[in-house]
Structures are given as C-alpha cells and as structure tokens.
Amino acid sequence: MNKLSIVVPCYNEEQALGYTNAELTQIINKLVESGKIHKASFILYVDDGSKDSTWNMIEGFRKQYPFVFGLKLARNVGHQNALTAGLLAAMEYADMVISIDADLQDDVSVMEEMVDRYREGCEIVYGVRNRRDTDTLFKRSTAIGFYKLMKLMNIDIVYNHADYRLLSKKVLEQFALYPERNLFLRGIIPSIGFRSAIVKYDRKSRVAGKSKYPLGKMFAMAFDGITSFSIQPIRMITVLGLIIVLCSLCAAIYALYSYISGKVVAGWTSTILSIWFIGGVQLLSVGLIGIYIGKIYVEVKGRPRYVVEINDLTEIDHEEQ
Ligand code: UDP
Ligand code: MG
C-alpha cells in the first residue's frame, strides 16, 4: 500500500551522486525498517543526457542495491522534462513518489515527515525552504522577484517551494492527463487540487559540483513559467492600448486647443493627432488579437477542466437498473 519511489533527475552529477546515493539508500532503509513504507520501495535516477560518468555511476548503484533503478534519456531535455519522465515511469510501480534534486540541497530527513503526511491522507506534500541563507544575495532577491511576478500574473505557486515534493499515485494519474509540452510543475501541481500539506526544511548548499541553473536558464524558467500559465501579459498589452487611446483624446483636445489659439506651425496638429490615435488603436488591436491567440493557446493545451476527488455515483450497481 505504501510503496515509495524517490525520483532524482541528474544532469552531469558525477561529483554529487555518490553522496546523494549514500543518503537516499540510508533513508529508504530507515523508512522500510520503521514500517512506514513498503519494502519494495525504490529509488529511480533519471539521467538527463549527462555527458560525464553519471550513467555509469547509476549502473554501479544498480548492481550494488536491489532497490535502485535508472532511467536514461537519449539526450538532455532539461530538469522539468527529466523529472516528468521519472514521475510518470515511477507512477506505475509506486503509491507515492518523492522528487528531489541530485545535489542534496534539500534535506532528505524530512522525507519521513512527508510520508507521515501522506499516511494521514494528504495527496501532495510540498517541501518548503525555511531559510535561504546558503543562497547568494542575488539568488535570494531574484527569487523574491520571481514570486512577486508570479502573483502579479495570477499564477498560484507555493512560496519557497522548488521541486522537492511528495505526490500520491492519484495526483500523478491526474498529472499524466496534462498533455502540454511546456512544463512548469510548480504551477501545474497546485492547479490539480486535492488535500495538501507542507513540510519545512533548511536548504543547504550543493554537496558537490556546480549549479546546472545559471542565470540565463533561471530567467528562461521564469519566463516559461509565466507564458505557459498565464495570458496576463497579453491582457496588459490590451489595457495599455486602451490607455493610449484615452490619452490620445486628451492629446487631441490639447492639439485642437493649440491649433485654435494659433500657436502652432502648420501640419503639427494633424501629425500629433494621427501618431497618438493610430498608435493606440494599433496596440489595442494587437492586444485583442492576442486575446484570441491566448484562448487558442489555452484550448490547445487541453488541460482537464476539473479533477474529481470522490464520485459516489460509481457505487451504483449497473445490473440493478
Ligand atoms: N538537472 C537536470 N537537467 C538539466 C539541468 C539540471 O536533470 O538540464 C537536474 C540536476 O542534476 C539537479 C536538478 O536538476 O538534480 C537541479 O539542478 P541544480 O541543482 O543545478 O539547480 P539549482 O539548485 O542550482 O537551482
Ligand atoms: Mg541545486
């Protein structure tokens, strides 16, 4: 009933993986011994097209431990896709999955708490960072900006939560119904629903190796997150267009007034009027077209409209009717 899978996306993690495997095998043994998880629980390493010896290491662990498995992707597809590959593969064989990065920045000891919450009936347990002391000031402030921006764009995400979380099979089955290609798990998971909880931990610095998320990738991720979740930017363009059209009315009054009072050179009034008015109308039109494209975008993603938690109708015996 309580079969756990720990899914770890790895990209060029040869320096960190030895430490990570030692900690994860230890925690899985501990949880099995305490009877909180089934003894067939396992760790799944996803090699995201690493160019170093990551896969060889995973194969080594596989030989050493019966509960370690590997999934090798044919090329590097990025953290979110690699994680999704792992989640969907593990889903078939587990009742709950915990995803964690390969660099031990997230505290593995709170996995026990996550499992406890699951056993109490939570379907999603978010790992939330208590402090960000180990991150640089820059990373901290960009992160705060990121959450503010997300809020502005109407995207519901859990504050200070990255991709360290427990998901039940039920949630994963729903997640599998999201056919979209632009993945932003931190946005999708809360949008599914179900009972959830958070557990807090202190985020540490990387155990070894370098971050695979340099500044460029971080911005790309934030931009991706916004554009795959929100058509708010398009709405903003439309509003801006409307504001400019309104401003053009004020500009028109001013220009006409100047014209009547005879203070202007010939041609100025018509030029200034056209610039303002045409500019506003163009922006408004682009925004309106954008809104239709936004709707197409939402339709194309084909996300489920709702997720059913309990349906009593399924208990009706069809034979009796
Ligand atoms: N990762 C991955 N594919 C990539 C980049 C990163 O699977 O293309 C993995 C990486 O091995 C790590 C996790 O994603 O397990 C998070 O990356 P990292 O720790 O470098 O990010 P940071 O914590 O610095 O934001
Ligand atoms: Mg990291």
Side-chain angles (χ1 to χ4, degrees):
M1 230 349 244
N2 291 322
K3 217 162 154 195
L4 169 72
S5 167
I6 301 176
V7 170
V8 193
C10 316
Y11 177 57
N12 293 345
E13 294 285 6
E14 60 181 9
Q15 289 176 47
L17 219 50
Y19 301 100
T20 311
N21 190 59
E23 291 241 354
L24 292 180
T25 48
Q26 207 180 340
I27 191 95
I28 227 165
N29 279 328
K30 188 179 153 207
L31 288 174
V32 169
E33 274 164 29
S34 66
K36 288 189 174 171
I37 58 171
H38 193 275
K39 60 181 188 312
S41 297
F42 60 95
I43 303 171
L44 178 66
Y45 291 105
V46 182
D47 177 14
D48 184 15
S50 297
K51 291 171 186 69
D52 63 2
S53 64
T54 298
W55 181 249
N56 290 340
M57 289 183 77
I58 295 170
E59 282 191 314
F61 301 149
R62 170 94 188 94
K63 288 194 189 104
Q64 211 178 336
Y65 303 93
F67 54 86
V68 171
F69 297 87
L71 181 73
K72 188 178 186 330
L73 302 181
R75 67 175 173 92
N76 180 251
V77 290
H79 178 213
Q80 300 285 291
N81 287 313
L83 182 53
T84 304
L87 290 176
L88 295 182
M91 180 180 107
E92 313 272 325
Y93 307 94
D95 301 306
M96 58 183 138
V97 177
I98 295 180
S99 54
I100 187 166
D101 289 351
D103 56 7
L104 290 183
Q105 283 197 273
D106 308 310
D107 187 356
V108 297
S109 64
V110 297
M111 283 190 186
E112 182 163 2
E113 223 178 307
M114 288 182 167
V115 171
D116 287 342
R117 293 291 98 76
Y118 168 81
R119 286 156 57 100
E120 286 163 19
C122 291
E123 306 283 344
I124 307 174
V125 187
Y126 300 100
V128 169
R129 296 169 207 170
N130 251 336
R131 293 178 299 150
R132 281 180 166 263
D133 296 4
T134 53
D135 281 340
T136 57
L137 181 68
F138 179 74
K139 191 144 190 166
R140 252 184 292 167
S141 38
T142 45
I144 290 171
F146 171 75
Y147 288 107
K148 286 219 169 111
L149 194 63
M150 286 294 173
K151 206 163 190 172
L152 193 72
M153 297 290 156
N154 291 335
I155 305 169
D156 178 25
I157 57 175
V158 179
Y159 189 68
N160 265 348
H161 157 73
D163 284 301
Y164 183 27
R165 67 175 83 82
L166 179 146
L167 299 173
S168 71
K169 194 189 191 95
K170 211 177 195 178
V171 173
L172 285 166
E173 279 166 355
Q174 293 305 324
F175 169 61
L177 298 178
Y178 282 63
E180 61 199 80
R181 295 291 168 265
N182 292 297
L183 277 172
F184 183 59
L185 291 170
R186 283 195 248 174
I188 293 179
I189 303 295
S191 79
I192 294 178
F194 290 120
R195 191 171 150 198
S196 66
I198 59 171
V199 297
K200 297 207 164 177
Y201 66 96
D202 291 335
R203 178 134 160 128
K204 291 174 272 193
S205 44
R206 219 170 210 288
V207 64
K210 275 210 224 58
S211 169
K212 313 294 180 295
Y213 267 101
L215 185 64
K217 263 198 191 173
M218 230 161 67
F219 276 119
M221 161 129 181
F223 193 70
D224 228 34
I226 292 169
T227 49
S228 43
F229 259 86
S230 168
I231 49 173
Q232 195 79 343
I234 300 177
R235 287 203 194 105
M236 285 176 171
I237 294 176
T238 320
V239 172
L240 191 66
L242 204 62
I243 291 172
I244 291 183
V245 169
L246 291 177
C247 285
S248 88
L249 292 179
C250 301
I253 293 167
Y254 173 68
L256 285 175
Y257 167 76
S258 308
Y259 177 71
I260 292 164
S261 55
K263 281 188 292 197
V264 294
V265 288
W268 179 82
T269 315
S270 53
T271 313
I272 210 77
L273 278 180
S274 335
I275 289 177
W276 274 89
F277 190 66
I278 296 289
V281 167
Q282 276 178 343
L283 209 54
L284 192 63
S285 317
V286 169
L288 276 177
I289 295 170
I291 284 179
Y292 284 98
I293 295 178
K295 295 222 160 161
I296 296 171
Y297 178 62
V298 172
E299 294 292 337
V300 160
K301 273 194 295 205
R303 286 182 185 166
R305 287 199 198 88
Y306 49 80
V307 174
V308 174
E309 189 157 357
I310 297 167
N311 180 359
D312 281 336
L313 281 174
T314 53
E315 284 165 24
I316 297 178
D317 191 347
H318 288 284
E319 306 278 307
E320 269 175 28
Q321 286 179 337

